Amino acid sequence: MKKSLKFQILSKVLRAIFISKEYRLTNIFIFLLIMKYLIYVKLTSFNYVLKRVKVKKEFKIKSNSDPNSSIIKIEMICKLLSIKSCLIKSLAGFEFLKRIGLKPEIIIGVKKENHEFSSHSWLTLENKILFQEKEKINSYLKILRLT
């Protein structure tokens, strides 16, 4: 992708984030979380990412948005940025939901189908699966749960 096209896409994303006056700070925070985990996943090891995902500091944010609208915002921003990684979406959603005082979980699963290995991560909140259809997830063997 050419640099000018990437710049155009990024400028559209930033305009979409900043245009909503009602949830501007929430949108900016979600954008920054996505970028943080995009950098972690691309440039560091999986163990490093796991150490950083724990929300240790008592830095909470106030958000009037419900968890479902926050997840939709994460999906929208990732789509605008052409980020398809389930891990990045799950990590950003996990930290955001933790910071608004909820108790989400990240689950990572693996499967081998037709001699091909694949992994997948998804987010749950109160035993409800976010981002995904339950049928897709049932085929994965759960190997890691982060709370």
Side-chain angles (χ1 to χ4, degrees):
M1 197 183 297
K2 292 182 180 179
K3 285 186 180 182
S4 61
L5 184 58
K6 284 183 180 180
F7 180 75
Q8 289 173 353
I9 292 170
L10 185 58
S11 67
K12 284 181 184 178
V13 170
L14 292 175
R15 268 186 265 146
I17 290 169
F18 292 116
I19 207 159
S20 168
K21 291 180 182 177
E22 189 175 353
Y23 295 113
R24 187 174 290 162
L25 290 177
T26 301
N27 292 347
I28 293 168
F29 188 72
I30 288 171
F31 172 76
L32 293 173
L33 284 176
I34 291 167
M35 297 311 291
K36 168 186 167 180
Y37 287 112
L38 178 65
I39 292 167
Y40 281 173
V41 168
K42 296 284 185 188
L43 300 179
T44 66
S45 69
F46 187 67
N47 286 334
Y48 182 86
V49 173
L50 291 181
K51 287 178 187 175
R52 297 298 180 264
V53 77
K54 304 285 184 189
V55 180
K56 294 177 184 173
K57 298 177 185 173
E58 288 300 316
F59 167 68
K60 302 268 187 194
I61 61 169
K62 293 180 182 176
S63 175
N64 296 334
S65 61
D66 67 305
N68 289 331
S69 69
S70 302
I71 297 304
I72 290 168
K73 287 177 187 178
I74 291 169
E75 278 284 353
M76 178 195 77
I77 293 169
C78 284
K79 188 173 183 175
L80 288 169
L81 292 170
S82 299
I83 297 171
K84 296 178 183 175
S85 169
C86 57
L87 183 58
I88 292 169
K89 292 175 189 177
S90 296
L91 292 167
F94 178 82
E95 183 169 338
F96 184 80
L97 293 175
K98 278 279 219 194
R99 290 197 185 272
I100 62 173
L102 300 174
K103 296 181 180 179
E105 292 182 321
I106 294 178
I107 300 172
I108 297 177
V110 295
K111 74 176 177 179
K112 185 176 180 184
E113 208 170 64
N114 299 329
H115 303 289
E116 288 191 27
F117 174 82
S118 65
S119 62
H120 188 53
S121 65
W122 60 94
L123 200 56
T124 63
L125 182 63
E126 298 172 357
N127 294 321
K128 289 182 182 178
I129 299 167
L130 307 174
F131 288 127
Q132 304 292 323
E133 301 93 35
K134 190 173 185 176
E135 296 78 35
K136 180 180 179 184
I137 290 170
N138 285 338
S139 64
Y140 287 91
L141 173 65
K142 296 171 187 165
I143 60 167
L144 185 62
R145 182 183 300 264
L146 301 171
T147 56

